[in-house]
Amino acid sequence: MAALVYALAVIAGTLTAQRFLPHEEARPAVAAALLHKPLKGPPAHPSTPPPTAHEHAQQTPARPSAEDWPMHRYSATRTGAPPSFAAVTPQSVERLAERWRSDLGASMSAPAVAAAGRIYAPADGGTLLALDLATGHVAWRYQTGAPLVFSPAVAAGRVLFTTSDGRLCALDATTGRRLWSRTAGYGASSPVVQEADRAADTRIYLGTAHGTIEALDLDGQLTWTFMAKGPVESSPALAGHTLYVGSNDRHIYALDARTGKLQWSVATSAGVSATPVVTRDTVYVGSQDATMYALNATTGSTLWTHRTNGSIRSSAAVGSQTGHESVYVGSDDGTLYAFDAIDGHTEWKRSFTNPVVSSPALAGGLVYLGADDSVAALDARTGQTRWTRQLAGPATASPALTHGSVITGSGRVLYAFALHAAEVTANEVVRPPNTAGHRP
């Protein structure tokens, strides 16, 4: 029965422009997966056992800075709006230029993340690549043996990611060495991490195709589990001690992040695969019922809803870029919407040829979006195009904004666009272009 439920977890796409590949049935010890027992494979160097969270903490680099993009939608609250990306403005954005491009060897299968001078990009065929942010050169590759369909997360010196055969894996972020893996129906959700002062107190949260929402420690040990009534293809958001996540059982849940206890739930009229966004005591999340929901983060009461003409699989970007807070989200009706965050009225909308499943990013009065075969920066107040660049093919990855660079992908090519170093403020660092790399 578990295998049947897992197989039914396949969906056509996700809110983050992370393409779903067909899930494969979890093969390694289904009984252990149902009991949530970690299955640890052999380390990359058999003579050296994987370190514990305490041991690994001694060689762990500093936490990601505000200029990094270490997990899906930038941070645990999933706003897609980094506060430190200030060098690029509506006046300077037209001077964004390609710094480098890198051939990944296979098409990107999910948006990249960035931390500590590295970019981590999933590619078709089950490859996770670590690239130098300054040059685009590949530092290491890790072959998972199964497709990766969601963005990884970087925390405590580890790269955490799920695979379509049900595994959650942890690698050393510097070397790519495998630390552990755990099989329990994962692969349908991108992890969110709550880092603590002590590595032993750090927690990883994610959903599974079996319909559970789980909390684990840095060694992959389960600390609690909550059972929903359908596959969890939404990536959780975390604010304070509350975890927010949607499910294909047509509900949005708020759970106590310390215990997994249900705080509230809200019913929708279709499944929720979109990632919630939490800001100013409000949760914003789209549903496949073509509705954008704004909910009180404490009680779950509905503040407003707004219908579109298509399912919402895109993650929203939320921020105060226009003098007041706005919500930017794409719909399968081929439209990017800007809603007023307080009452939900439409401020503007932009139409594209294809469904907008890419998730926008927001900074410096600009909305960055991959749509059709281009990456673009739109004026956050009006929706007018301020900058655009055609890519090698359809935009397959939502943009990440990190250290003055716009990172996005098309097919097997990963791009970095940035201003020239002389135009960057002291708080934004852009490395020299990769003179040895590929050029347009």
Side-chain angles (χ1 to χ4, degrees), residues 323-340:
H324 66 282
E325 202 159 62
S326 299
V327 180
Y328 306 88
V329 69
S331 169
D332 280 5
D333 63 13
T335 305
L336 178 70
Y337 292 88
F339 298 130
D340 182 278

Side-chain angles (χ1 to χ4, degrees), residues 17-322:
Q18 302 174 75
R19 296 182 294 106
F20 256 86
L21 303 177
H23 285 307
E24 297 176 8
E25 192 175 43
R27 296 185 181 88
V30 172
L34 294 176
L35 291 171
H36 306 288
K37 293 181 179 179
L39 301 179
K40 298 183 180 181
H45 304 286
S47 60
T48 306
T52 64
H54 174 74
E55 292 169 337
H56 189 74
Q58 306 309 311
Q59 50 186 313
T60 292
R63 292 185 188 181
S65 76
E67 295 180 26
D68 289 338
W69 187 285
M71 65 184 77
H72 173 52
R73 307 305 298 140
Y74 172 65
S75 67
T77 55
R78 310 294 203 185
T79 61
S84 64
F85 196 85
V88 184
T89 66
Q91 292 71 41
S92 65
V93 67
E94 64 182 16
R95 296 190 293 279
L96 277 180
E98 186 178 311
R99 298 291 92 191
W100 53 258
R101 64 172 65 178
S102 183
D103 188 332
L104 303 180
S107 294
M108 286 189 69
S109 55
V113 298
R118 290 269 178 88
I119 299 171
Y120 300 91
D124 282 349
T127 302
L128 181 69
L129 299 94
L131 303 95
D132 187 271
L133 174 60
T135 65
H137 293 158
V138 175
W140 52 256
R141 298 172 186 262
Y142 182 85
Q143 187 64 41
T144 68
L148 288 73
V149 291
F150 279 91
S151 296
V154 184
R158 302 176 180 219
V159 184
L160 303 157
F161 61 92
T162 60
T163 63
S164 65
D165 62 357
R167 285 176 290 147
L168 171 65
C169 302
L171 308 181
D172 184 286
T174 301
T175 65
R177 176 179 180 269
R178 185 173 69 177
L179 302 175
W180 53 261
S181 68
R182 170 187 172 86
T183 301
Y186 303 112
S189 181
S190 183
V192 65
V193 183
Q194 184 178 49
E195 289 199 65
D197 291 336
R198 294 196 317 139
D201 294 331
T202 294
R203 289 294 177 265
I204 305 162
Y205 303 94
L206 74 170
T208 78
H210 297 315
T212 59
I213 301 156
E214 299 185 355
L216 305 97
D217 66 18
L218 271 180
D219 288 327
Q221 302 295 322
L222 187 72
T223 61
W224 59 253
T225 184
F226 174 87
M227 178 64 73
K229 297 177 181 178
V232 179
E233 296 161 351
S234 170
S235 300
L238 179 68
H241 295 299
T242 306
L243 194 73
Y244 304 91
V245 65
S247 171
N248 270 9
D249 67 7
R250 303 183 177 188
H251 282 81
I252 302 162
Y253 294 100
L255 308 176
D256 188 306
R258 295 162 294 188
T259 65
K261 183 180 179 181
L262 178 66
Q263 295 185 345
W264 53 256
S265 66
V266 172
T268 63
S269 56
V272 180
S273 58
T275 295
V277 180
V278 191
T279 179
R280 297 183 184 276
D281 200 34
T282 303
V283 180
Y284 303 93
V285 61
S287 169
Q288 294 177 35
D289 63 9
T291 302
M292 190 69 194
Y293 293 84
L295 309 172
N296 182 286
T298 303
T299 66
S301 61
T302 300
L303 303 178
W304 56 260
T305 62
H306 196 119
R307 285 192 60 80
T308 67
N309 295 314
S311 295
I312 299 176
R313 294 178 287 153
S314 168
S315 295
V318 182
S320 301
Q321 299 292 309
T322 63

Side-chain angles (χ1 to χ4, degrees), residues 378-423:
L378 312 179
D379 190 295
R381 294 179 300 107
T382 65
Q384 293 180 334
T385 300
R386 294 290 189 173
W387 171 85
T388 186
R389 287 293 183 273
Q390 188 167 356
L391 305 176
T396 56
S398 306
L401 311 180
T402 178
H403 290 270
S405 295
V406 180
I407 307 296
T408 192
S410 174
R412 55 192 286 167
V413 181
L414 185 69
Y415 297 86
F417 299 96
L419 300 175
H420 290 290
E423 298 185 71

Side-chain angles (χ1 to χ4, degrees), residues 17 352 355-361 367-376 391 394-399 408-409:
F352 296 90
V356 180
V357 294
S358 173
S359 299
V367 181
Y368 297 86
L369 181 72
D372 298 335
D373 61 353
S374 300
V375 59
L391 305 176
T396 56
S398 306
T408 192

